[in-house]
Amino acid sequence: MAASPRLTSVTRDDSTHWYRLAMDSGYEGTYPYVWLRDNCRCSECFSPAVTQRKVKMGDTNPDIKPSSESIVADGKVLRITWPNQHLSEFDAAFLNRQRFSEMQKDAVSCPKRQSWGADLNGRIPTFDFQKLLQDDLELYNWLDVLNTKGLAVVKGAPAKKGTMLQLAEKVAYMKKTSYGDTCHIFSTPTAERLMYSHQALPLHVDQPYMDYAPGIEMLQCIQRVNVHGGESQFVDGMRLAEQLKEESPKAYYLLTTREVDFETRVTCYDWLKPFHMKKSRPTIQLDKHGEFQAINYDTSFRSPSMSQVPVGEVADIYGALKLLFDIMYRPENVVHYLLAEGEMATFDNRRLLHARTAFTISGEGGRLMECGYLDWDEARSRMRILQESLGL
C-alpha cells in the first residue's frame, strides 16, 4: 500500500486568491480559497456518513481570504483559520485527490470499453449464478464485464420465474417498467406484439421510447421444450458506430445529430395497464466529448413522425439507417448464443443490440423467457461500494 502523502510547503497568493501546495510525492497543486472554505470537512460544514455538504451557497464569499494557515501533524494536515475564526483542517490525502480538471476519470463512470464482433463467438464471458450471490468479488467482476464488454452469460440458475430478482437484489433493485418488475415472453401464434410470436425479432435495443431507457438487461430461459430455433444474437453498437464513421462520415453525422422518434401504444392485453410512450433520440448517441455513449435502434417502434428531421433530409436519414442495418447484419459483427433452460443472457441495453431467430414448437413443447432490467446508476453505485469494501 502506498504511503499517505504529506504536505511539504504551502504558499499563499492573495492576488489570485489561492494556495500553492507541495506534496512529498513531488506533486504541486493550486487550491482556491473559496473552494477550500466551501469544502471544509468539519462537522458543522460536512456530514461524512452521507457525503453531504451543509454549507449554503448563499453564505459563500467568492472573494474570501484566510486569516492564517499552517501545516500540522507532521505534514498530514493543512490547517486554515478564516476571518470569522472558523477552523478548517484538510487531510493531505484528501487534497492530493482533488486536482480539478487534472483529476483522473472515475474508472466506473468512464470505463475503457472493449469493442468486439464475431470474434466473441464461443468466448462470451460466463459466470455462475450461485457464486454471484455468494462472492462479492465475482459480483464485481460480472458488473465490470458488463461495464466494459457489455455481454455476459450467467449459468447454473434455477429455471423458474423470479430467479433474476435474487441477482438484481445483490446489486440494487429491479427497474420497474410498464411490464412490471419482469416481463414474461411466451409464444402465441396470433400474437399482436412481435416478441410474443414465433417470428424472428430483428436487432434492436429495448424500450428506446422511454425517457430513461433500461440500462442492464437480464434475459433468462425458463422453459425450452421441443423448440427448434429461437437463437439469441448480439451486436456491439459501439463497433457499429466505429464502422459507420469510417465508411460514411455523412451517415454517421446524420445519425449522431438528427433525432429519431420512437413510439409505442399498448391497450390490447388485459394483464397490462394501457400505456403510450414517446421519445426522440439520435440513433447513435455521443457524450459531450464526442465519444460513443449509446445506440438507440428499434425499427419496430420507430414512429412514422419524424418531428426532429427537416423534410429535405428524410431520404438521407433513411439511407443512413439502411447502411447501419447492412453493417449490423454482417457476419463479422454478429455473436450467436442459444440459451439453455436456466441460462441468463445479461447485457448493456444502451450499447448492445439483440435479436432472436424464428422458431417452431412441436408436440407438447413450449418456450418461456423472463426479462428484467437494472439501472446503470444503481449498478455503478454497487461497483464503487464493492471497490471500497474489497480494496480494489
Side-chain angles (χ1 to χ4, degrees), residues 286-305:
L286 307 178
D287 64 17
K288 63 183 179 181
H289 304 294
E291 299 296 326
F292 175 88
Q293 187 174 50
I295 189 160
N296 304 297
Y297 182 91
D298 187 346
T299 199
S300 299
F301 295 109
R302 185 166 37 79
S303 173
S305 67

Side-chain angles (χ1 to χ4, degrees), residues 71-340:
I71 296 173
V72 299
D74 195 24
K76 293 181 180 179
V77 174
L78 172 67
R79 178 179 292 164
I80 299 175
T81 303
W82 301 100
N84 65 354
Q85 299 307 302
H86 186 84
L87 184 69
S88 297
E89 293 190 338
F90 299 92
D91 289 341
F94 168 78
L95 295 171
N96 187 55
R97 292 193 299 271
Q98 313 307 317
R99 302 191 180 191
F100 303 93
S101 59
E102 297 177 9
M103 288 181 66
Q104 290 184 343
K105 292 181 179 179
D106 174 26
V108 173
S109 298
C110 305
K112 293 181 179 179
R113 287 172 162 168
Q114 306 159 19
S115 70
W116 46 264
D119 54 299
L120 205 61
N121 277 303
R123 300 172 55 235
I124 299 174
T126 302
F127 294 85
D128 178 75
F129 179 77
Q130 294 300 331
K131 193 171 182 181
L132 289 174
L133 299 185
Q134 299 165 6
D135 186 335
D136 280 353
L137 180 57
E138 192 74 353
L139 183 68
Y140 177 85
N141 290 337
W142 170 62
L143 291 171
D144 186 54
V145 164
L146 294 179
N147 205 24
T148 55
K149 197 175 289 288
L151 175 63
V153 170
V154 176
K155 297 188 175 187
K160 62 181 183 180
K161 295 179 182 179
T163 294
M164 64 178 57
L165 293 171
Q166 297 178 60
L167 183 53
E169 288 169 1
K170 287 294 294 183
V171 178
Y173 315 98
M174 295 295 295
K175 177 183 177 68
K176 189 183 287 288
T177 70
S178 297
Y179 294 94
D181 287 329
T182 63
C183 172
H184 298 117
I185 306 169
F186 49 88
S187 303
T188 59
T190 59
E192 292 287 340
R193 208 166 179 88
L194 195 58
M195 71 174 176
Y196 296 126
S197 74
H198 293 192
Q199 300 177 48
L201 273 175
L203 286 164
H204 65 287
V205 299
D206 273 14
Q207 307 192 32
Y209 41 74
M210 292 181 66
D211 188 56
Y212 189 31
I216 295 172
E217 180 163 348
M218 298 181 288
L219 181 65
Q220 186 181 20
C221 179
I222 305 299
Q223 180 191 31
R224 182 182 170 85
V225 179
N226 296 331
V227 177
H228 309 280
E231 174 190 74
S232 295
Q233 299 170 329
F234 303 96
V235 171
D236 184 359
M238 187 171 75
R239 172 69 65 89
L240 297 184
E242 294 168 351
Q243 292 173 327
L244 183 68
K245 185 177 183 179
E246 181 178 346
E247 295 182 22
S248 178
K250 178 183 177 181
Y252 180 81
Y253 173 78
L254 286 171
L255 296 188
T256 55
T257 59
R258 302 295 185 263
E259 293 187 348
V260 172
D261 295 344
F262 295 96
E263 181 175 5
T264 185
R265 180 176 180 273
V266 173
T267 60
C268 58
Y269 298 120
D270 57 11
W271 68 88
L272 290 176
K273 291 181 180 179
F275 59 88
H276 187 179
M277 296 187 180
K278 294 183 176 183
K279 179 65 180 177
S280 298
R281 300 177 182 277
T283 303
I284 298 171
Q285 191 170 320
L286 307 178
D287 64 17
K288 63 183 179 181
H289 304 294
E291 299 296 326
F292 175 88
Q293 187 174 50
I295 189 160
N296 304 297
Y297 182 91
D298 187 346
T299 199
S300 299
F301 295 109
R302 185 166 37 79
S303 173
S305 67
M306 299 182 75
S307 63
Q308 308 300 310
V309 180
V311 67
E313 294 182 353
V314 168
D316 290 335
I317 290 290
Y318 274 99
L321 288 170
K322 175 60 166 59
L323 177 57
L324 183 68
F325 174 90
D326 292 341
I327 293 173
M328 71 175 67
Y329 277 98
R330 290 174 184 169
E332 64 265 27
N333 287 329
V334 183
V335 170
H336 306 264
Y337 194 87
L338 185 61
L339 287 167

